Amino acid sequence: MRTAKIFLLSCVLLCSSIVTHAQFLMDMIDTTSELGKGMLSMYHKYDALRFSGYIQPQFQAISQRGAKSYAGGDFLPQVDNRWTLRRGRIRVDYERYNKQDMPVVQFAFQFDGTERGVFIRDFYGRFFETKFNVLSLATGMFARPFGYEVNLSSADRETPERGRMSQILMKTERDLGGMVSFEPRRKDHPLYFLKIDAGLFNGQGLTGPSDFDSHKDFIGRIGFKPIFLNKRKWLLSGGASVLYGGMQQFTNVIYKMDGAAFKVDSAVTNAGEIAPRHYYGADMQLKIPNGPNKGWTQFRAEYIRGKQTATQFSAETPGIIPLDAAGKYAPLYIRNFDGAYLYFIQNLGSLKHQVVVRYDWYDPNKDVKGTQVGAPGSGTTEADIRYNTLGVGYLYYADEHLKFTVYYDWVKNESTLLPNYTKDVRDNVLTCRVQYRF
C-alpha cells in the first residue's frame, strides 16, 4: 500500500513537472506573455549578431636556413622548414536594418591569434544615412580603402599571402581613421555600380603603438562593381586609388636620389616638414564563366607607383619615429617606386579544384638598377633591391568550411654589388596550408 502511494505521488510530481516545463515553453513562444515578450525582444536584439572565423595551420619549407621572406615572415637562423599557425581569426559583426531592409548601423570586431600572440585587426563602427541610402561613415580600425588585393580577405584570397608590394606599402593592411563612402544600396539606383571611398588615417597603421605626428594620410578609391560585358556574362570590375600623405621629419637630414646615388639635404628648415608618401594605383578584375558548376577563368591586375619615405635599410613605412644606433633621430630616405601583380585563376572543371598563377614585382627605387645598387658612394642598401616573384598553386575546396592549398613561390632579386646580393638569393618557398572556416 505504501509503495502504491509513493508511486502515485511520483506520477503526480512528474506530471506536474512536465506541465510546468510545457507551460514554460509555451510562455516562451507566446508573445503576449511577459516571458514571451522578453524572449522575442532578445531574439530581435541579438539576431543581428554574427560570429565567423577561420584558422590557417601551415607547413613551409624554404631554400636555405635563415632566409628572409614575405611568405609569412623571416625564417630563424637555423630553420629552413616550420609549422606555423599563420592566422587564427575570430570576427563578430552586429548589424541593424530598418523596415525597408536597409542597413542602419554596423559594428565589427576581429582578433587574430597565433603562436606569436593575440592582436586586434578590425575594430570599427559604421552608420548609414537612410534618406537616400547612398552614404555611410566608418570610424575605427579597418582596411585602408586602397586597391583590390589589400581589401581582399585572407580567407578568400587564392594565394597564401599578398604580394611583396602590398605588404611593404600597406603593412597589416589596416589603419586608424575615418572614412566616408558613397555606395547606393538600392539596385534601381542609376549609380548602383559605383563605389567611392575617401578617408583620413594616422598613417602607420598597426605597425606602431600610436600616432607619432599630427599629419594624416588621405586615402581614396573610385571603383565600379562587376558589370556584364556581353551575353556570355563576362564580369568586369576595377578602380583607381590614391594615397596622399607622409610623415613628419624629426631631423633636418633628408636623403633624396640625385642620378644613381642618394644626396643629402640638411637644410635647417627640413625639421618639422612633411616627407611624402604618395601612391597612385589602378586595378582591374575580369571573370569569365566556364559553365554551370564549372567555376570561372579569372584575371586580375594592379599597378602602383609613387614616392615612399622610409629609412636607409628598409622601404617599409616606419611604425615609430626612426632612431639611429645612438638613439638620435635617424635620417629619412625618399624613393620613387613602382610595382604590380598579375593573377590568373582557373577552375578545373568544377568548383572544388582550382589553380592560381601570380606574377608580381616591386621596385623600391626606380632610379637605380642592378649593379648600381651597392655602388661606392651611392648610399643604396638592400632596401633598394628590386624583386620579381612567380607563384603557382593548387587549391582544393572540400566544402564551404575546409580548403587545402599547395603553393610555391619562385623569388628572384636583381644582382647587385651588395655583399650577399651579388646573385639571386636562395629564398624560394613552398607552403602547404589547411584552412578551417566557420
mmCIF file of all heavy atoms in Angstrom, residues 115-136:
data_model
loop_
_atom_site.group_PDB
_atom_site.id
_atom_site.type_symbol
_atom_site.label_atom_id
_atom_site.label_comp_id
_atom_site.label_asym_id
_atom_site.label_seq_id
_atom_site.Cartn_x
_atom_site.Cartn_y
_atom_site.Cartn_z
ATOM 1 N N GLU A 115 50.662 31.566 -32.623
ATOM 2 C CA GLU A 115 51.637 31.195 -31.601
ATOM 3 C C GLU A 115 52.459 32.398 -31.139
ATOM 4 O O GLU A 115 53.162 32.326 -30.128
ATOM 5 C CB GLU A 115 52.573 30.093 -32.129
ATOM 6 C CG GLU A 115 53.562 30.530 -33.196
ATOM 7 C CD GLU A 115 53.002 30.453 -34.612
ATOM 8 O OE1 GLU A 115 51.758 30.386 -34.759
ATOM 9 O OE2 GLU A 115 53.791 30.454 -35.560
ATOM 10 N N ARG A 116 52.350 33.520 -31.868
ATOM 11 C CA ARG A 116 53.101 34.720 -31.509
ATOM 12 C C ARG A 116 52.313 35.671 -30.613
ATOM 13 O O ARG A 116 52.844 36.674 -30.161
ATOM 14 C CB ARG A 116 53.544 35.452 -32.782
ATOM 15 C CG ARG A 116 54.503 34.646 -33.637
ATOM 16 C CD ARG A 116 54.819 35.345 -34.944
ATOM 17 N NE ARG A 116 53.649 35.498 -35.793
ATOM 18 C CZ ARG A 116 53.192 34.537 -36.591
ATOM 19 N NH1 ARG A 116 53.809 33.374 -36.644
ATOM 20 N NH2 ARG A 116 52.129 34.740 -37.340
ATOM 21 N N GLY A 117 51.031 35.377 -30.387
ATOM 22 C CA GLY A 117 50.223 36.224 -29.526
ATOM 23 C C GLY A 117 48.872 36.519 -30.150
ATOM 24 O O GLY A 117 48.505 35.974 -31.205
ATOM 25 N N VAL A 118 48.113 37.396 -29.482
ATOM 26 C CA VAL A 118 46.782 37.799 -29.943
ATOM 27 C C VAL A 118 46.811 39.285 -30.261
ATOM 28 O O VAL A 118 47.304 40.095 -29.474
ATOM 29 C CB VAL A 118 45.705 37.500 -28.876
ATOM 30 C CG1 VAL A 118 44.339 37.980 -29.356
ATOM 31 C CG2 VAL A 118 45.673 36.015 -28.553
ATOM 32 N N PHE A 119 46.279 39.643 -31.440
ATOM 33 C CA PHE A 119 46.315 41.027 -31.900
ATOM 34 C C PHE A 119 44.937 41.416 -32.432
ATOM 35 O O PHE A 119 44.179 40.563 -32.900
ATOM 36 C CB PHE A 119 47.357 41.204 -33.010
ATOM 37 C CG PHE A 119 48.699 40.612 -32.678
ATOM 38 C CD1 PHE A 119 49.013 39.310 -33.042
ATOM 39 C CD2 PHE A 119 49.642 41.350 -31.985
ATOM 40 C CE1 PHE A 119 50.241 38.754 -32.742
ATOM 41 C CE2 PHE A 119 50.878 40.818 -31.676
ATOM 42 C CZ PHE A 119 51.183 39.503 -32.047
ATOM 43 N N ILE A 120 44.630 42.709 -32.381
ATOM 44 C CA ILE A 120 43.386 43.168 -32.988
ATOM 45 C C ILE A 120 43.610 43.358 -34.483
ATOM 46 O O ILE A 120 44.723 43.606 -34.937
ATOM 47 C CB ILE A 120 42.861 44.461 -32.352
ATOM 48 C CG1 ILE A 120 43.764 45.654 -32.725
ATOM 49 C CG2 ILE A 120 42.727 44.334 -30.859
ATOM 50 C CD1 ILE A 120 43.116 46.994 -32.419
ATOM 51 N N ARG A 121 42.556 43.217 -35.231
ATOM 52 C CA ARG A 121 42.589 43.501 -36.662
ATOM 53 C C ARG A 121 41.531 44.560 -36.994
ATOM 54 O O ARG A 121 41.839 45.710 -37.199
ATOM 55 C CB ARG A 121 42.392 42.213 -37.466
ATOM 56 C CG ARG A 121 43.651 41.344 -37.525
ATOM 57 C CD ARG A 121 44.779 42.094 -38.234
ATOM 58 N NE ARG A 121 46.027 41.332 -38.301
ATOM 59 C CZ ARG A 121 47.060 41.517 -37.511
ATOM 60 N NH1 ARG A 121 46.988 42.429 -36.553
ATOM 61 N NH2 ARG A 121 48.155 40.813 -37.629
ATOM 62 N N ASP A 122 40.271 44.182 -37.023
ATOM 63 C CA ASP A 122 39.207 45.150 -37.283
ATOM 64 C C ASP A 122 38.537 45.548 -35.973
ATOM 65 O O ASP A 122 38.210 44.698 -35.145
ATOM 66 C CB ASP A 122 38.161 44.562 -38.225
ATOM 67 C CG ASP A 122 38.728 44.295 -39.607
ATOM 68 O OD1 ASP A 122 39.230 45.243 -40.219
ATOM 69 O OD2 ASP A 122 38.690 43.136 -40.047
ATOM 70 N N PHE A 123 38.338 46.848 -35.794
ATOM 71 C CA PHE A 123 37.646 47.379 -34.624
ATOM 72 C C PHE A 123 36.987 48.678 -35.055
ATOM 73 O O PHE A 123 37.554 49.751 -34.881
ATOM 74 C CB PHE A 123 38.648 47.646 -33.487
ATOM 75 C CG PHE A 123 38.461 46.772 -32.289
ATOM 76 C CD1 PHE A 123 38.822 45.444 -32.334
ATOM 77 C CD2 PHE A 123 37.916 47.278 -31.120
ATOM 78 C CE1 PHE A 123 38.659 44.626 -31.230
ATOM 79 C CE2 PHE A 123 37.746 46.473 -30.000
ATOM 80 C CZ PHE A 123 38.121 45.135 -30.063
ATOM 81 N N TYR A 124 35.820 48.607 -35.646
ATOM 82 C CA TYR A 124 35.224 49.827 -36.182
ATOM 83 C C TYR A 124 33.698 49.785 -36.102
ATOM 84 O O TYR A 124 33.075 48.734 -35.913
ATOM 85 C CB TYR A 124 35.645 50.035 -37.646
ATOM 86 C CG TYR A 124 35.099 49.024 -38.626
ATOM 87 C CD1 TYR A 124 33.858 49.218 -39.247
ATOM 88 C CD2 TYR A 124 35.817 47.879 -38.961
ATOM 89 C CE1 TYR A 124 33.360 48.309 -40.158
ATOM 90 C CE2 TYR A 124 35.340 46.966 -39.870
ATOM 91 C CZ TYR A 124 34.102 47.177 -40.468
ATOM 92 O OH TYR A 124 33.609 46.256 -41.373
ATOM 93 N N GLY A 125 33.131 50.966 -36.245
ATOM 94 C CA GLY A 125 31.694 51.121 -36.354
ATOM 95 C C GLY A 125 31.352 51.883 -37.623
ATOM 96 O O GLY A 125 32.160 52.691 -38.103
ATOM 97 N N ARG A 126 30.182 51.611 -38.152
ATOM 98 C CA ARG A 126 29.745 52.298 -39.371
ATOM 99 C C ARG A 126 28.246 52.590 -39.248
ATOM 100 O O ARG A 126 27.476 51.728 -38.800
ATOM 101 C CB ARG A 126 29.983 51.406 -40.594
ATOM 102 C CG ARG A 126 29.654 52.087 -41.933
ATOM 103 C CD ARG A 126 29.497 51.038 -43.043
ATOM 104 N NE ARG A 126 30.660 50.209 -43.197
ATOM 105 C CZ ARG A 126 31.638 50.416 -44.083
ATOM 106 N NH1 ARG A 126 31.572 51.458 -44.886
ATOM 107 N NH2 ARG A 126 32.655 49.585 -44.172
ATOM 108 N N PHE A 127 27.862 53.806 -39.601
ATOM 109 C CA PHE A 127 26.428 54.085 -39.656
ATOM 110 C C PHE A 127 26.069 54.598 -41.038
ATOM 111 O O PHE A 127 26.887 55.187 -41.750
ATOM 112 C CB PHE A 127 25.983 55.055 -38.550
ATOM 113 C CG PHE A 127 26.442 56.476 -38.725
ATOM 114 C CD1 PHE A 127 25.700 57.387 -39.457
ATOM 115 C CD2 PHE A 127 27.615 56.914 -38.111
ATOM 116 C CE1 PHE A 127 26.118 58.692 -39.606
ATOM 117 C CE2 PHE A 127 28.040 58.231 -38.252
ATOM 118 C CZ PHE A 127 27.285 59.123 -39.006
ATOM 119 N N PHE A 128 24.829 54.366 -41.422
ATOM 120 C CA PHE A 128 24.347 54.626 -42.773
ATOM 121 C C PHE A 128 23.235 55.662 -42.736
ATOM 122 O O PHE A 128 22.356 55.610 -41.867
ATOM 123 C CB PHE A 128 23.791 53.338 -43.402
ATOM 124 C CG PHE A 128 24.767 52.198 -43.431
ATOM 125 C CD1 PHE A 128 24.983 51.406 -42.311
ATOM 126 C CD2 PHE A 128 25.463 51.897 -44.594
ATOM 127 C CE1 PHE A 128 25.882 50.342 -42.345
ATOM 128 C CE2 PHE A 128 26.359 50.844 -44.637
ATOM 129 C CZ PHE A 128 26.568 50.066 -43.514
ATOM 130 N N GLU A 129 23.290 56.603 -43.678
ATOM 131 C CA GLU A 129 22.151 57.522 -43.810
ATOM 132 C C GLU A 129 21.036 56.761 -44.523
ATOM 133 O O GLU A 129 21.286 55.974 -45.438
ATOM 134 C CB GLU A 129 22.554 58.800 -44.556
ATOM 135 C CG GLU A 129 23.021 58.625 -45.989
ATOM 136 C CD GLU A 129 21.874 58.544 -46.986
ATOM 137 O OE1 GLU A 129 20.753 58.960 -46.643
ATOM 138 O OE2 GLU A 129 22.119 58.051 -48.105
ATOM 139 N N THR A 130 19.799 56.982 -44.094
ATOM 140 C CA THR A 130 18.674 56.182 -44.584
ATOM 141 C C THR A 130 17.641 56.978 -45.379
ATOM 142 O O THR A 130 16.576 56.464 -45.684
ATOM 143 C CB THR A 130 17.966 55.494 -43.393
ATOM 144 O OG1 THR A 130 17.596 56.496 -42.429
ATOM 145 C CG2 THR A 130 18.885 54.489 -42.735
ATOM 146 N N LYS A 131 17.977 58.241 -45.689
ATOM 147 C CA LYS A 131 17.047 59.012 -46.512
ATOM 148 C C LYS A 131 17.243 58.698 -47.986
ATOM 149 O O LYS A 131 16.286 58.384 -48.707
ATOM 150 C CB LYS A 131 17.244 60.509 -46.263
ATOM 151 C CG LYS A 131 16.280 61.378 -47.063
ATOM 152 C CD LYS A 131 16.438 62.848 -46.720
ATOM 153 C CE LYS A 131 15.428 63.685 -47.492
ATOM 154 N NZ LYS A 131 15.540 65.137 -47.178
ATOM 155 N N PHE A 132 18.496 58.766 -48.449
ATOM 156 C CA PHE A 132 18.794 58.456 -49.843
ATOM 157 C C PHE A 132 19.463 57.085 -50.000
ATOM 158 O O PHE A 132 19.570 56.572 -51.109
ATOM 159 C CB PHE A 132 19.714 59.534 -50.437
ATOM 160 C CG PHE A 132 19.140 60.913 -50.375
ATOM 161 C CD1 PHE A 132 19.577 61.821 -49.428
ATOM 162 C CD2 PHE A 132 18.140 61.304 -51.257
ATOM 163 C CE1 PHE A 132 19.055 63.102 -49.369
ATOM 164 C CE2 PHE A 132 17.599 62.577 -51.201
ATOM 165 C CZ PHE A 132 18.051 63.484 -50.253
ATOM 166 N N ASN A 133 19.937 56.522 -48.904
ATOM 167 C CA ASN A 133 20.584 55.210 -48.896
ATOM 168 C C ASN A 133 21.777 55.145 -49.853
ATOM 169 O O ASN A 133 21.923 54.208 -50.644
ATOM 170 C CB ASN A 133 19.577 54.107 -49.251
ATOM 171 C CG ASN A 133 18.550 53.896 -48.160
ATOM 172 O OD1 ASN A 133 18.888 53.540 -47.030
ATOM 173 N ND2 ASN A 133 17.293 54.149 -48.489
ATOM 174 N N VAL A 134 22.648 56.157 -49.750
ATOM 175 C CA VAL A 134 23.841 56.164 -50.600
ATOM 176 C C VAL A 134 25.129 56.421 -49.817
ATOM 177 O O VAL A 134 26.221 56.122 -50.310
ATOM 178 C CB VAL A 134 23.727 57.209 -51.737
ATOM 179 C CG1 VAL A 134 22.592 56.862 -52.683
ATOM 180 C CG2 VAL A 134 23.583 58.615 -51.166
ATOM 181 N N LEU A 135 25.036 56.979 -48.592
ATOM 182 C CA LEU A 135 26.227 57.374 -47.852
ATOM 183 C C LEU A 135 26.378 56.566 -46.566
ATOM 184 O O LEU A 135 25.394 56.091 -45.994
ATOM 185 C CB LEU A 135 26.182 58.861 -47.501
ATOM 186 C CG LEU A 135 26.228 59.854 -48.660
ATOM 187 C CD1 LEU A 135 26.057 61.270 -48.130
ATOM 188 C CD2 LEU A 135 27.529 59.723 -49.440
ATOM 189 N N SER A 136 27.630 56.427 -46.113
ATOM 190 C CA SER A 136 27.911 55.819 -44.818
ATOM 191 C C SER A 136 29.197 56.422 -44.269
ATOM 192 O O SER A 136 30.020 56.968 -45.020
ATOM 193 C CB SER A 136 28.048 54.300 -44.933
ATOM 194 O OG SER A 136 29.170 53.947 -45.714
#
